[in-house]
Amino acid sequence: ELLGLALGVDPGTPKSEILGRFRDRVRNPRAPVEIAREDAPVKQVIYTDGEIDLAKLPILHHAEMDSGKYISAGCLVIRDPDSGVLNAGIYRHMVQGPDLIGCMFNPAHHSGYIYRRCKELGKRMEAVLFIGHHPAALLGTLAEGPMDSDELTVMGALMGEPLEVVQGESVDLPVPAFAEIAIEGYLDPDAETSDGPFAEFTGYYGPAKDPVGLMQVTAITMREDAIYHDLDPAHQEHNLANALTLESAIYDGVNQLVPSVTGVYMPVSGGCRFTT
């Protein structure tokens, strides 16, 4: 029901209809639209150069054995250096210093492919890590799709209107204009770090990873009354948003072999992806 509300589904609508609504929206992507800086709430407060300090944000140390404080619900926006396609996703981001953030990409993440490609090219990878937005937009960052899919268009599809963006302060990337907070920077392949353990979506600690990307923060922008959106890792809500995206992907996969399939359900026990 919570996911249905995010999509504008009336309370009381049968659960079986929510997946269909999600799938209908995803089939109609909407390109972002750029708005003026003065109309973008995320530009109300701007920190650059010596003003940057991640300690200004209430970033949490969630679990006892976590290796540090993690931004757990931040959405990272990057660009494929070959195709120019934008990519957005939620990963684990450990605070490494006042202006440094670790970025751990699993090898199969689209972001992992893009990061490795930037390493091959010997170029920095610009990035925007935004925190807090419409819940349907966050669902869009978790969409399952091919490498050339642009999650920003899926975010618009799920919201039912184009995602409004504004140009970054220090990077050549679009920033969601109505985000609560946006952290801009770049990842230099020659300056990597390590992170972990971290309490993961499986309910167990994910191991330490070395090396992982290191984001040098070049600007922080936010609303004047910004709300810091946090996710409690390794708890049920960690997997909630994955339910619809995984149900949809499973539906497509099964439908190729069994065209008569009428529905897919992802129980709480299957939210970690390894059981259904």
Side-chain angles (χ1 to χ4, degrees):
E1 290 89 345
L2 286 173
L3 295 175
L5 288 172
L7 299 175
V9 177
D10 293 333
T13 299
K15 293 181 186 178
S16 58
E17 295 183 19
I18 296 174
L19 176 59
R21 187 74 61 91
F22 175 87
R23 290 171 56 76
D24 289 342
R25 292 271 185 92
V26 168
R27 282 194 286 265
N28 295 283
R30 300 190 181 206
V33 295
E34 186 169 345
I35 66 172
R37 289 170 54 88
E38 57 267 24
D39 296 327
V42 77
K43 295 290 189 179
Q44 290 172 349
V45 178
I46 299 175
Y47 297 115
T48 57
D49 302 325
E51 303 171 311
I52 296 171
D53 185 0
L54 292 168
K56 294 176 180 178
L57 303 178
I59 304 171
L60 303 180
H61 189 134
H62 296 90
E64 181 181 6
M65 292 174 58
D66 282 358
S67 56
K69 295 182 177 182
Y70 278 83
I71 298 172
S72 59
C75 305
L76 193 75
V77 179
I78 56 178
R79 191 189 303 276
D80 188 312
D82 295 319
S83 67
V85 173
L86 293 167
N87 177 268
I90 299 178
Y91 314 103
R92 75 188 204 194
H93 298 284
M94 177 183 164
V95 176
Q96 304 265 357
D99 60 353
L100 296 171
I101 300 174
C103 301
M104 197 286 281
F105 311 122
N106 284 328
H109 284 157
H110 289 173
S111 58
Y113 285 102
I114 294 172
Y115 180 63
R116 289 195 297 276
R117 180 56 178 155
C118 287
K119 290 180 69 172
E120 292 172 356
L121 296 173
K123 64 182 296 184
R124 294 175 173 178
M125 183 177 77
E126 292 189 325
V128 174
L129 183 63
F130 72 90
I131 302 169
H133 206 290
H134 192 291
L138 299 186
L139 287 176
T141 69
L142 299 171
E144 304 274 341
M147 187 68 189
D148 60 355
S149 61
D150 182 340
E151 279 83 7
L152 273 65
T153 68
V154 180
M155 292 162 70
L158 293 179
M159 289 192 298
E161 60 184 46
L163 176 72
E164 293 182 315
V165 298
V166 64
Q167 186 64 23
E169 287 294 310
S170 59
V171 295
D172 184 21
L173 288 171
V175 177
F178 284 82
E180 298 288 329
I181 302 164
I183 303 171
E184 302 178 11
Y186 63 84
L187 283 73
D188 186 339
D190 292 330
E192 295 185 307
T193 186
S194 60
D195 90 324
F198 176 66
E200 281 285 5
F201 64 97
T202 56
Y204 295 88
Y205 283 101
K209 297 288 186 177
D210 186 10
V212 301
L214 181 65
M215 180 176 174
Q216 173 66 59
V217 179
T218 52
I220 299 176
T221 71
M222 65 180 72
R223 295 172 180 254
E224 291 177 347
D225 58 349
I227 297 171
Y228 181 80
H229 179 199
D230 186 67
L231 177 78
D232 193 4
H235 290 74
Q236 184 174 334
E237 60 267 30
H238 197 157
N239 293 315
L240 175 64
N242 277 326
L244 284 177
T245 57
L246 289 174
E247 284 181 354
S248 183
I250 293 170
Y251 188 105
D252 289 338
V254 173
N255 188 59
Q256 293 180 14
L257 298 176
V258 188
S260 59
V261 62
T262 58
V264 174
Y265 173 57
M266 176 69 73
V268 173
S269 61
C272 68
R273 293 174 174 257
F274 301 128
T275 60
T276 57

